[in-house]
Amino acid sequence: MWLKPEEILLKNAFKLWVTEKGNDYFVLQRRRGYGEGGGGLTGLLVGTLDTMLDSTSKVAPFRILHQTPDSQVYWSIACGGTKEEISQHWEWLEKNIMRTLSVFDSSDDITSFVQGKIRGLIAEEGKVSCVQEDDPEKFREALLRFEKWFDLPQKEKLVTYYSCSYWRGRVPCQGWLYLSTNFLSFYSYLLGSEVKLVISWNEIWRLEKTSNVILTESIHVLANGEDHFFSMFLHLNETFLIMEQLADYSIKRLFDKETFQEEPSLSDPLQITKRYCLETHARNEQFRAFFRLPKEENLLEVYESFLWVPFSHFNTLGKICLSESYLCFASQDGSQCHVIIPMREVIGVEKPDRSSRALIVCVRGKRALRFSEVRDFERLANAIRRRCGMTASPQHSDNPEEVALMVGQKDSSKAVSTEALMTVFHPQDTENLDPKMLKEKMKEQSWNIHFSEYGRGTSMFCTKKTRDLIVRGIPEALRGELWMLFSGAVNDMATNPGYYSELVDQSLGTSTLATDEIERDLHRSLPEHPAFQSDTGISALRRVLTAYAYRNPKIGYCQAMNILTSVLLLYAKEEEAFWLLVAVCERMLPDYFNRRIIGALVDQAVFEELIRMHLTQLTEHMTDLTFFSSVSLSWFLTLFISVLPIESAVNVVDCFFYDGIKAILQLGLAVLDYNMEGLISSHDDAEAVTILNKFFDNVTNKDSPLPQTVQQNSVGNNDKASSISKVDVSDLIKEAYEKYGDMKSEEVESMRKRNKLYVIQTLEDTTKQNVLRVVSQEVKFSASQLDELYVLFKRQHFLSCYWTMNSPVLLHHDPSLAYLEQYQLGFHQFSLLFSLLEPWSLCSGKDTLFLWAFRLLDENQDGLVNFKEFCCALDILYSGTFTNKLTFLFKLHQPPGNYCMTSFDVNVFHSYYVVSDLPEDGVIRKSPERGRGKVDLQAYLKQWQDEILKKEESIKDLPRINQAQFIQFSKTLYNLFHSDPEEESLYRAVARVTSLLLRMEEVGRRLQEPTSPQKSSTSPIQAALEGALPDGEASSTPESSSDTPSTPITQEAGSIPQEVEWSFAFEQILASLLNEPVLVRFFERPVDIQARLDHAKCAQLKAKTNK
């Protein structure tokens, strides 16, 4: 079968494969252990391993690789189970491909052509085989096995499954890998040995493809400190991509929900499927990222075709990608040329030549694009016509400046600036041209020539020549226009006319935490630039930042946004600067500008990885690369604007808007490479920082036309600085592209995904360590026990989130809160976990008791219990003294635990207290509010002070317990003794204590009342005693008649028994219970904490998690 071309790792592969045929472009290989000549010991080992495997997981014994004569890179393009099958593929290549390849001059063109043909063959086969691939009957059988083996809740959705080997040490276990929405599961049963593995996606630290001597390729999973290796996949790359998508989906949904964008295909975790959800989602993300399209766009259709490139006078092979509002084309390797055509710009579609299956798309500006060899060109033509009719804009102009003016300025507010600040404060003097201005004009002329050949505006061809011009620096006059084009912001603004003006009007005068921070930072944004020493620049900056904070309150405002926005305002109009900020924050630098700057931390991890790959001399000298992570944070957050002079930094921003984060990464490598000698000879971090700072201060832009009063490097020049050699920013950028420009955007994205898991888990581990440090001072648990408790608590928090998007607990998680408040449990989650960990076997009434415990622990009455409150309760039950445990039980039966109810329906409480009272954001709060409004810092400080000043509670401070509460307290004591070896003795002891207390209270009350005629009647004390005992116990307590006086108990004549009220102090109850040794032994009996923790870990997933 033909395979999607994938670069393979041949470091150790040749030990497992034998070459049977070969030519200049292709190699046919046989796996050792198959066919003639077993291959000795290696062949025997490989053959044995493959024979053990299930037929669906065997590595195909034959394969074909593609290689160009002057390259050492191999690509797998076909595999076969038999020699006849692989021979057919080989013959087809010789007949149809070999002759064509001799025409090409470049090896890159050869590889691109071969990959394109193979992908075309796969697409043809896919139309027939896709129905057979997802066999409903086989999937149903796999689902039954999955449910039987792992005993997960029925709501857990199985996505797909694969046969593979799981390595335990050096021994492979052949079995099945099941990938579900929330878990990675593996099962193997061989020769009586069962292997079962269940890992939550949100527990994974590392997920990567690896290679070693025995395993050519395998998938490595690091979770909970343990390494797991899976290999022998028939489709390893497909398996890895699915695993990567599920892990990323889980991380975003559970940990990083600030940036989790609900998409129709992923909105319901119960409906996720492999083909129609995950693969579609990944394809759409890749499509939008490559063409910089709005997040609403989805890839609908793909057509392979040739595009006539007028400036090169030849047809280039590529793919047409069609979405709701855009027609895009990318050449074979993605770097030669690509073009984006908004449907609003299309004015006509023609079919000139049916024999060549050609299509001509006419766009505004008297331009046309000719596509040929389009397989279903009539369908494509109809699709374009249909979308053009729906999305055509009523306003058009052939002049791009007029179009830009009309788009987005509808009903524009008078307060909004319509000119770039650089135009206002530094207008170019066209009459007096100095050498720098002449160079600037030459740059503009080069771009005008480029526009005449490649087009201008949204339909411009982007090619290698475009990048070359950008590396040299964009002219000042064109910078704003080209930033808008390359970032995709021009499309956002065009599809949202008047949106910015509306935001400005709505956000005007609002007062939030974000606006306070914006006001504080306004005058720190490029303070040396004249534009931001005036009210014009400051007001524009305020409007843009406030409007964005209003648009996206989840991000609001973060430091570094002011610096970036200041530079945008210098070269773009105010509304354009707003949309550029949107493109940067929400598309080009995802997760950068949130509370935990996760995106920047991820790219720092990627940067460390690239340093190890490209700067080995530096890594040998500095084994700990965390220094570069800390020093480079500002590079990523501000795109080098905060460390480079402004006239040099804008050239970096030019490259960023064209190549994305790849440009920043390769420039960072070039900076370290340039300072290699100084960094290696540095003695400490401070010296290394000084070296880099001096270097940045001396990066100049010799071609900058900006006046000396604006150029930052001229201000700081002194005699000492002049002795250091200057570096021109254009040379630095050019060197970065020459040395590290072969880095592919796809590789960077893959590294981002791989490192994001580790970064998120590192942040979570920091949260855990901080929580454990605080809680450990309050409880007697050991460090390992506290760690296990935290894992259980956190998992319980997520268990209610796994199978629904609208879980209140999922909404409660907020990384910006204090560490202790980040993970909390509602009543239902609390009761499930508490039932697994409480030390007693409650026979009845446990739901009501758990409700009272929940209310007692919920000190701030926000409907949530945090980890510290939970641990303190368990610590009392596990390690507390007899008095501590009795105090806890006593307080359960008083407010806020027991609201003096004789009967309470827990289900009503759950539906009312947990669901009905939820505000819009799903969080129950009586604590200081968060959100768009100001945070009441005084309330937080008071709450913190109260906790510090809280004194040790004395038993004398406890309120008295009334009649109804005492009866319920007695029932609770009886329920604790269920299945205890001394159950009968404990029952009798409680009966004696309750009888004694009630009689003591009756005697005391009678002594305080005046004597009056009495008559015999049923004692209210006897009735209370009968109510306190469990069924059948009141009549079978001989001690109550033999050990206590049988004096008849009377009451006042004419009195109503129900009106008699009495109560007990805690000291009375404690003193009475201390007289019963069997009760003291029961409460002071040591608890096997580790056994309870182990039981909870095994039973937690099996517990019912949803009502």
Side-chain angles (χ1 to χ4, degrees), residues 538-588:
I538 294 295
S539 297
L541 181 60
R542 178 187 293 112
R543 287 192 295 269
V544 172
L545 292 175
T546 305
Y548 185 79
Y550 190 85
R551 163 191 166 86
N552 192 344
K554 290 181 179 179
I555 292 179
Y557 170 77
C558 296
Q559 286 189 342
M561 288 174 66
N562 60 320
I563 298 175
L564 176 61
T565 308
S566 299
V567 175
L568 298 179
L569 282 168
L570 289 178
Y571 294 98
K573 300 172 186 177
E574 185 176 322
E575 183 177 8
E576 293 174 343
F578 169 79
W579 287 111
L580 284 169
L581 183 64
V582 170
V584 171
C585 295
E586 299 177 12
R587 187 163 58 239
M588 301 186 70

Side-chain angles (χ1 to χ4, degrees), residues 922-938:
V923 182
I924 311 167
R925 293 190 185 92
K926 291 188 181 178
S927 55
E929 282 290 335
R930 298 184 61 260
R932 289 187 181 178
K934 288 187 177 180
V935 175
D936 190 350
L937 298 179
Q938 292 298 327

Side-chain angles (χ1 to χ4, degrees), residues 636-838:
F636 292 101
L637 283 174
T638 66
L639 308 179
F640 283 92
I641 296 171
S642 63
V643 293
L644 285 176
I646 183 64
E647 66 275 7
S648 301
V650 290
N651 285 38
V652 178
V653 180
D654 295 342
C655 299
F656 167 75
F657 278 123
Y658 190 80
D659 278 321
I661 193 61
K662 172 177 171 286
I664 305 300
L665 291 168
Q666 63 193 25
L667 182 62
L669 292 174
V671 168
L672 297 182
D673 189 21
Y674 194 93
N675 294 276
M676 180 77 73
E677 294 183 6
L679 292 173
I680 290 177
S681 61
S682 62
H683 298 89
D684 53 35
D685 291 352
E687 186 177 350
V689 169
T690 303
I691 291 171
L692 291 174
N693 287 339
K694 287 181 178 179
F695 170 78
F696 286 131
D697 289 340
N698 287 275
V699 175
T700 64
N701 187 349
K702 63 179 185 293
D703 297 332
S704 174
L706 295 179
Q708 292 297 317
T709 56
V710 175
Q711 295 191 23
Q712 293 177 352
N713 67 332
S714 62
V715 176
N717 281 347
N718 51 43
D719 296 336
K720 183 181 290 187
S722 61
S723 64
I724 303 175
S725 60
K726 302 290 184 180
V727 180
D728 187 73
V729 68
S730 297
D731 296 335
L732 184 62
I733 292 174
K734 185 178 179 181
E735 183 179 348
Y737 272 93
E738 288 175 352
K739 287 188 175 181
Y740 312 108
D742 57 349
M743 188 192 313
K744 295 181 179 179
S745 299
E746 294 80 2
E747 295 174 358
V748 173
E749 287 303 317
S750 177
M751 294 168 73
R752 272 178 158 180
K753 289 182 180 179
R754 183 167 64 248
N755 284 283
K756 184 174 183 178
L757 291 173
Y758 183 78
V759 168
I760 291 281
Q761 296 293 5
T762 301
L763 292 173
E764 289 296 310
D765 190 62
T766 301
T767 298
K768 180 177 78 171
Q769 297 305 325
N770 282 283
V771 170
L772 297 187
R773 185 173 63 252
V774 172
V775 176
S776 62
Q777 301 173 8
E778 307 286 336
V779 297
K780 300 182 182 67
F781 292 112
S782 66
S784 60
Q785 291 170 347
L786 207 55
D787 189 280
E788 290 184 50
L789 267 176
Y790 184 87
V791 172
L792 288 168
F793 188 88
K794 182 176 173 181
R795 180 181 292 178
Q796 192 65 44
H797 170 93
F798 283 139
L799 279 176
S800 62
C801 312
Y802 281 159
W803 300 284
T804 176
M805 286 300 301
N806 299 317
S807 166
V809 178
L810 179 60
L811 297 173
H812 295 159
H813 177 51
D814 187 344
S816 69
L817 293 177
Y819 289 123
L820 279 173
E821 307 300 323
Q822 289 190 20
Y823 293 107
Q824 303 180 83
L825 299 183
F827 166 66
H828 184 52
Q829 291 76 37
F830 168 85
S831 62
L832 289 170
L833 184 58
F834 199 73
S835 65
L836 296 175
L837 292 170
E838 55 89 11

